[in-house]
Amino acid sequence: MTLPDNIEGLIQAQNEQDSTRFSQYFTANATVSDEGASYSGRAEIEQWIQQATEKYQMQTKPIDYQQSDTSAVLTVEVTGTFPGSPIVLHYHLGLEDTLIRSLKITG
C-alpha cells in the first residue's frame, strides 16, 4: 500500500515518538478527537500524542487507506502497553492541502 507523503510522515513520527514532528503535519488550528477528549492547535496535539505514546508505548502499522477529496480514513493496527493490544483503529482525517485539519480516532 502506498500512502501519501504526509500520512507516511505522520505514522513515522508517531512510531519514532517524535511529538513535535507529528504535530507539524496538522494545520495551526487543527482538532483531534480521541477517547472522548478533544485537542485544538499544534501545541495541544503535540502534548496529547506525547502523553499517549509515553503512557502506551504505541507502534502503529497502516493496514488500509481510502481518500476522497479532502476526507480520508486510515485504518491502523496499534500495539502497545494497553489492554487488548493490538487493536485496529480508524483515523478519520480532514485534509487541507498537505496538512491535516482534523483527526477523529474510532475503534
Side-chain angles (χ1 to χ4, degrees):
M1 165 181 43
T2 302
L3 296 173
D5 290 344
N6 59 335
I7 303 302
E8 184 71 40
L10 180 80
I11 295 297
Q12 184 179 25
Q14 183 173 347
N15 287 340
E16 293 174 358
Q17 298 185 8
D18 186 340
S19 57
T20 302
R21 187 164 52 113
F22 181 92
S23 70
Q24 296 305 305
Y25 288 97
F26 290 83
T27 63
N29 59 352
T31 59
V32 170
S33 298
D34 183 36
E35 297 183 312
S38 294
Y39 309 91
S40 297
R42 287 186 182 136
E44 283 188 17
I45 292 169
E46 180 177 345
Q47 185 177 37
W48 158 74
I49 197 63
Q50 181 69 36
Q51 289 174 347
T53 55
E54 286 176 2
K55 182 177 181 179
Y56 299 120
Q57 299 300 306
M58 301 177 305
Q59 289 293 299
T60 303
K61 176 183 166 188
I63 54 178
D64 189 47
Y65 182 77
Q66 302 293 322
Q67 183 174 342
S68 177
D69 296 322
T70 60
S71 297
V73 177
L74 173 65
T75 304
V76 296
E77 180 183 77
V78 181
T79 58
T81 58
F82 51 85
S85 176
I87 60 172
V88 173
L89 297 175
H90 305 284
Y91 289 12
H92 303 268
L93 302 159
L95 305 172
E96 187 175 304
D97 299 319
T98 61
L99 298 175
I100 299 165
R101 65 175 157 66
S102 65
L103 167 60
K104 181 178 181 179
I105 300 173
T106 62

